[in-house]
Amino acid sequence: MLRLNFLFQDGMILPPDTGIPVWGSTAPEAQIEVSVAGKTAFTKADASGEFVAGLPGMSAGGPYELVVRDLTNERKIIIGNVMIGKNLPQNEKGIPQMNDSNKLPLMMLRLMSGNIEHCLNGVLKDIDRYPGTFDEIWLASITWYCYKDMEAVEKHALSLLPLVQSCRERNIKVGLQVPVLGHSVKAAPPAGYPFKEESWSVDKDGNRVYGYLCPSSPEVQQYMHDSAAVYLRILKLDSLWPDDDMRLGARERMICFCPRCLKLFNIAVSGSWTREALVAALENPGNNLELRKKWVDFNGRMIEACCAAFRKAVDEEHPECLLALQRTRSTNKYDSEDGSHYSRGLAGKNNEIIGIRSGGGFYHDLFPRDMIRKAFDVGREAARFKANGFRGGVCNEGENYPHISVQKNPGTLMTEAAMVIAAGAKFTSIYWHGPTNMESEENYDFFMRTAALHRPFIQAVQKTTLKTDLAGCALYQGVESLALPNWKGETDETEERLMENGLPMSLPGAAPELFALSERSARSLGREDLAVCFAKPVLMDVKAFEVISQKFPELDFVRKVRLTDPELHEHIITDCAVELFADGKTAETVFKAIRKESENVKFTSRIVGETDADIGASAIITTEFGGKIVLVQFLNIWHGWTGYRRECILDALDEVVPGKMAVRLLTSGYAVCPFARVTSDGKAAGVFLLNAAAGDTPELKISLRNPAYKQYRLQRQMAEPVDLKVIAQSDEEIILEIPSIAPWRAVFIEGVEK
């Protein structure tokens, strides 16, 4: 039987002007003919029936008819170059207008693999005591690790059926997680596994990696399709979740270097790379940006093919099922620059409603600040998911294993759930436990009771998030991110540090009012980024400005100032220069003095003891691209954004952002993290606030500019909402007083509709 890779279905998308690898399986050693748009290629299947053929790239357009023939069979596929989302109706911000269905739950409870029956029976007892807390239970399967053929898979599915029925009797939806490409390395092929030697991946050193499957293997993809079809047919699942081991390569292996993948890659890029040469070029710190981009895109398309296998199973067996993928960090770039490959494979030709679980990166209560990074990670996935035109939504992974009370308190899990939704997620998934790491019944009751008490707060945050976008300052990432030394995954902490200073943070693809540039993100800028980035206001520090000056010395704005080492004046007892603000207040440290070389520069702070009027410590610089730069000494909290320095910076941002920033925290000096939600016309609709400190805050004052509502109230965790004290109010601004926030607790300012 002639079978094409699961990517090859009517409506498949091809990148223009790149080679077209066509692969699949047929009878051993059969002759294969492949043709499209008047171009034809011939090849021969190997002894196992696998074949790979290559066609030259086509210009953008289509549709085209791709025809694949062997001696007795013929397959015809309609293909084109149109990307999902590009032809959908657009709103005024350029984001496709689409309605989601009720497929997405609000709160999912994930059970770890193991003795699912014992685990679920205990969970259902707790759910019966607190009905309505969770909308869906997410079961876990270990599929090919234990079930070597479809008969074994069917037997397992039938064993789960009574558990599924128990959930549905309680009006609870059921999802299932299935492993895909592998989680762990083994020394030899596990006995009895249904895969040939060629289906195991090869690492960058040329070693077979048993336990990790090759994403391009036809038999691997067929197993994914067939096993998913069994579960869908028997269980009629509400959601199906290929596991996060789809990320193959997370352990610094850069995906698969087997002969099949190398052949497919060489066809795609019209190259002749060997494994050794390709690995050396990818790891070379020199100018290899274009090669890395091609390799990342190729890896993404191999994963897309795996996702397409699941899509086909859902379409054939149970189209009502939500197909969703567990991903790891959205900053991982070794398999997709923007995550669109995964989502295209899941969504299929009709752009079906899908889900993405992001936010890999486990943390526990000893390091709660990592929760902020995780919220950004999930929010970044949500913003690009929406900007790319996909339907459905993104959730987090509320990891909590092995112990509820030791690693992560249930209250921490619920705070995380609310924060990721404020960042742009539409729902949340929360771990229950690992069956081999049991806790007491009292602990499980506390877990469920805590979740039940937190649900109204999470629901209130979601209500506003669904109809708004995330405003504030977004860390800009340029087109040359893959040229950076740590190109496989970003480690920039600037977002968290700025937010801990009370600056509302947004994300590219959401509704940023301005951009930020750190030293690292400045290095990612390409020439085509300049007109995009600097059309908006930009907050950057002196290290980032030095990078821009070196990369683009011809720019007009970089010649308007000159950075020099500051002088240390005799009366200063510290060993560093000190920043001086307009009201006479000071703060350490000044790394670089800013010398004005143009009249289009305005100082916002000076240096203590400096008498030269053309030298300052921070400044506003007009650019030739329409925006203005707020140039400061540093963006990192560990260098001392004191309350006075923070006020100076926020004053400058209000000056350069048209109409001022939508939300401003007026109380200085506390680690209060805000996510600002705005309507499509930029009106302040709600604010999520997290106290990221070990002590209570004082009463806080916050300003909502261009407010969307006349009245706001405060939603609180495990408590009834309260009305907020209004300090001042006009059509342009409302200033509210927020009660003290407890350590690592959150509140949400919600608009009240009349």
Side-chain angles (χ1 to χ4, degrees):
M1 179 179 179
L2 176 61
R3 283 178 170 170
L4 296 183
N5 179 273
F6 284 96
L7 271 180
F8 292 91
Q9 302 178 39
D10 282 342
M12 75 168 292
I13 300 160
L14 290 171
D17 303 318
T18 62
I20 306 171
V22 181
W23 76 106
S25 61
T26 185
E29 300 184 350
Q31 296 292 329
I32 301 293
E33 176 185 340
V34 181
S35 61
V36 64
K39 302 171 182 177
T40 302
F42 298 92
T43 190
K44 182 180 178 181
D46 63 18
S48 67
E50 290 189 16
F51 68 87
V52 175
L55 290 166
M58 301 177 298
S59 59
Y64 303 99
E65 184 178 66
L66 173 71
V67 181
V68 183
R69 299 185 181 93
D70 62 13
L71 291 176
T72 58
N73 300 282
E74 179 179 89
R75 292 287 309 277
K76 294 182 178 181
I77 304 294
I78 303 301
I79 62 175
N81 300 121
V82 180
M83 302 296 288
I84 284 177
K86 301 301 183 184
N87 293 339
L88 297 170
Q90 306 284 308
N91 62 19
E92 67 275 10
K93 297 174 70 175
I95 295 174
Q97 295 175 326
M98 290 169 284
N99 294 319
D100 293 327
S101 74
N102 59 1
K103 283 187 177 182
L104 303 181
L106 173 60
M107 294 176 65
M108 295 179 63
L109 187 65
R110 181 190 175 186
L111 307 187
M112 300 295 289
S113 57
N115 189 342
I116 293 290
E117 182 176 4
H118 174 77
C119 181
L120 181 60
N121 288 335
V123 170
L124 292 178
K125 290 178 183 178
D126 290 310
I127 282 178
D128 289 341
R129 289 197 296 271
Y130 304 98
T133 301
F134 287 96
D135 308 287
E136 184 168 329
I137 288 180
W138 180 359
L139 306 177
S141 166
I142 46 180
T143 324
W144 65 265
Y145 299 137
C146 290
Y147 311 123
K148 308 299 189 295
D149 53 39
M150 293 308 109
E151 182 179 351
V153 173
E154 182 171 341
K155 183 177 179 181
H156 180 243
L158 289 170
S159 74
L160 295 177
L161 189 56
L163 307 180
V164 172
Q165 292 170 340
S166 294
C167 292
R168 291 192 171 133
E169 289 169 1
R170 294 165 170 83
N171 200 29
I172 295 173
K173 294 181 177 182
V174 180
L176 180 69
Q177 166 201 325
V178 290
V180 183
L181 295 173
H183 253 83
S184 59
V185 176
K186 301 182 183 300
Y193 277 43
F195 306 116
K196 301 190 300 285
E197 177 80 1
E198 293 77 14
S199 288
W200 299 105
S201 66
V202 173
D203 66 19
K204 63 183 182 181
D205 298 317
N207 303 310
R208 284 282 173 193
V209 186
Y210 302 111
Y212 279 97
L213 293 167
C214 170
S216 73
S217 166
E219 71 168 355
V220 168
Q221 293 175 15
Q222 195 65 47
Y223 183 96
M224 293 178 189
H225 168 273
D226 294 349
S227 58
V230 170
Y231 286 118
L232 290 161
R233 184 175 64 253
I234 292 174
L235 300 178
K236 301 300 180 186
L237 296 165
D238 296 289
S239 65
L240 178 68
W241 296 78
D243 197 8
D244 61 2
D245 57 19
M246 183 78 88
R247 71 191 183 275
L248 186 69
R251 290 169 174 81
E252 295 297 317
R253 294 189 302 105
M254 299 185 288
I255 311 282
C256 181
F257 294 88
C258 74
R260 182 195 311 104
C261 284
L262 286 173
K263 186 173 183 178
L264 291 168
F265 177 67
N266 280 321
I267 291 172
V269 301
S270 300
S272 56
W273 292 95
T274 64
R275 175 187 55 78
E276 295 85 352
L278 178 59
V279 171
L282 291 171
E283 294 185 337
N284 189 328
N287 185 17
N288 53 9
L289 174 62
E290 291 307 312
L291 177 63
R292 286 179 178 175
K293 281 181 175 290
K294 290 175 180 178
W295 180 246
V296 165
D297 180 72
F298 170 76
N299 288 335
R301 292 189 67 77
M302 295 304 100
I303 303 298
E304 182 182 344
C306 296
C307 293
F310 287 103
R311 176 78 263 161
K312 186 171 177 61
V314 170
D315 290 344
E316 291 171 345
E317 297 292 343
H318 188 43
E320 294 77 18
C321 177
L322 172 72
L323 182 57
L325 175 70
Q326 301 178 76
R327 281 212 65 193
T328 51
R329 295 177 179 87
S330 60
T331 52
N332 286 346
K333 293 185 180 294
Y334 51 78
D335 53 8
S336 182
E337 280 197 85
D338 65 355
S340 61
H341 295 86
Y342 292 83
S343 298
R344 279 204 305 270
L346 295 174
K349 65 180 181 180
N350 295 323
N351 198 18
E352 301 288 353
I353 292 171
I354 59 172
I356 297 289
R357 187 230 67 187
S358 186
F362 176 73
Y363 70 92
H364 52 70
D365 282 349
L366 292 177
F367 306 102
R369 285 189 178 216
D370 289 343
M371 183 196 308
I372 304 170
R373 181 183 304 177
K374 192 166 186 178
F376 277 113
D377 192 84
V378 177
R380 182 177 295 103
E381 190 78 66
R384 69 189 190 184
F385 182 95
K386 182 177 180 181
N388 282 328
F390 296 108
R391 304 168 60 209
V394 171
C395 73
N396 69 317
E397 178 186 29
E399 298 159 298
N400 189 38
Y401 52 81
H403 298 298
I404 287 175
S405 57
V406 175
Q407 289 194 328
K408 196 179 294 184
N409 183 277
T412 309
L413 282 168
M414 303 308 150
T415 299
E416 174 191 327
M419 191 171 190
V420 298
I421 289 175
K426 289 188 177 178
F427 58 117
T428 180
S429 67
I430 298 168
Y431 279 33
W432 180 248
H433 68 69
T436 55
N437 292 285
M438 302 294 291
E439 292 253 359
S440 67
E441 288 299 322
E442 291 80 5
N443 275 3
Y444 290 124
D445 181 79
F446 176 66
F447 180 110
M448 192 64 69
R449 177 159 39 95
T450 301
L453 291 172
H454 275 264
R455 183 180 171 106
F457 178 75
I458 296 170
Q459 207 158 8
V461 176
Q462 186 209 40
K463 180 182 176 183
T464 297
T465 298
L466 288 177
K467 57 186 179 182
T468 59
D469 216 331
L470 188 63
C473 176
L475 184 66
Y476 192 91
Q477 293 297 330
V479 297
E480 296 185 1
S481 294
L482 292 181
L484 300 177
N486 187 20
W487 62 279
K488 287 168 270 185
E490 300 165 10
T491 57
D492 198 326
E493 296 182 353
T494 301
E495 290 168 322
E496 304 102 90
R497 302 301 169 239
L498 289 175
M499 196 178 198
E500 288 167 356
N501 279 288
L503 179 63
M505 293 300 294
S506 181
L507 292 156
E513 300 161 279
L514 70 149
F515 291 123
L517 283 175
S518 64
E519 180 181 8
R520 187 181 192 279
S521 62
R523 295 188 187 281
S524 76
L525 292 185
R527 193 163 299 279
E528 57 266 54
D529 289 307
L530 299 176
V532 177
C533 180
F534 292 103
K536 283 184 176 290
V538 175
L539 173 65
M540 73 164 74
D541 58 21
V542 291
K543 289 184 178 180
F545 193 87
E546 286 181 320
V547 171
I548 299 297
S549 301
Q550 293 165 7
K551 288 191 71 171
F552 310 105
E554 75 283 0
L555 293 178
D556 180 61
F557 72 78
V558 303
R559 297 196 296 265
K560 291 181 178 180
V561 299
R562 181 162 49 88
L563 302 182
T564 63
D565 292 330
E567 293 186 16
L568 298 181
H569 298 275
E570 292 182 359
H571 65 282
I572 299 177
I573 60 174
T574 61
D575 59 354
C576 60
V578 176
E579 193 168 1
L580 175 66
F581 306 107
D583 56 4
K585 305 299 183 182
T586 60
E588 300 176 357
T589 302
V590 175
F591 297 109
K592 291 290 182 180
I594 302 171
R595 175 172 287 279
K596 182 166 64 172
E597 304 282 347
S598 167
E599 291 304 314
N600 290 325
V601 176
K602 176 184 176 181
F603 288 125
T604 55
S605 69
R606 300 281 183 168
I607 300 175
V608 170
E610 180 58 68
T611 58
D612 190 333
D614 288 334
I615 293 180
S618 61
I620 296 174
I621 306 168
T622 302
T623 77
E624 58 265 44
F625 300 101
K628 294 182 178 180
I629 294 170
V630 175
L631 182 59
V632 301
Q633 289 296 312
F634 41 79
L635 302 184
N636 195 310
I637 189 174
W638 307 122
H639 287 117
W641 262 34
T642 65
Y644 296 116
R645 177 174 279 134
R646 176 184 174 278
E647 291 305 304
C648 174
I649 293 172
L650 293 184
D651 285 344
L653 294 180
D654 274 344
E655 184 174 337
V656 301
V657 173
K660 300 183 178 181
M661 295 188 69
V663 172
R664 176 168 173 177
L665 188 64
L666 300 177
T667 306
S668 296
Y670 298 92
V672 178
C673 300
F675 275 134
R677 305 297 308 187
V678 297
T679 59
S680 59
D681 55 356
K683 294 183 177 181
V687 187
F688 179 92
L689 298 170
L690 173 74
N691 176 16
D696 294 350
T697 71
E699 294 176 342
L700 305 172
K701 294 179 182 179
I702 193 168
S703 170
L704 279 62
R705 284 75 176 268
N706 193 18
Y709 303 95
K710 298 293 185 182
Q711 182 181 351
Y712 292 82
R713 64 185 173 193
L714 193 69
Q715 291 282 355
R716 302 176 296 167
Q717 294 176 294
M718 299 195 300
E720 293 294 319
V722 295
D723 293 332
L724 287 169
K725 179 181 178 181
V726 178
I727 298 174
Q729 187 168 9
S730 67
D731 290 340
E732 293 75 31
E733 182 180 32
I734 182 169
I735 299 176
L736 304 169
E737 183 176 276
I738 311 298
S740 173
I741 306 175
W744 289 103
R745 299 306 295 271
V747 297
F748 186 70
I749 301 171
E750 174 188 58
V752 178
E753 298 180 1
K754 292 186 178 180

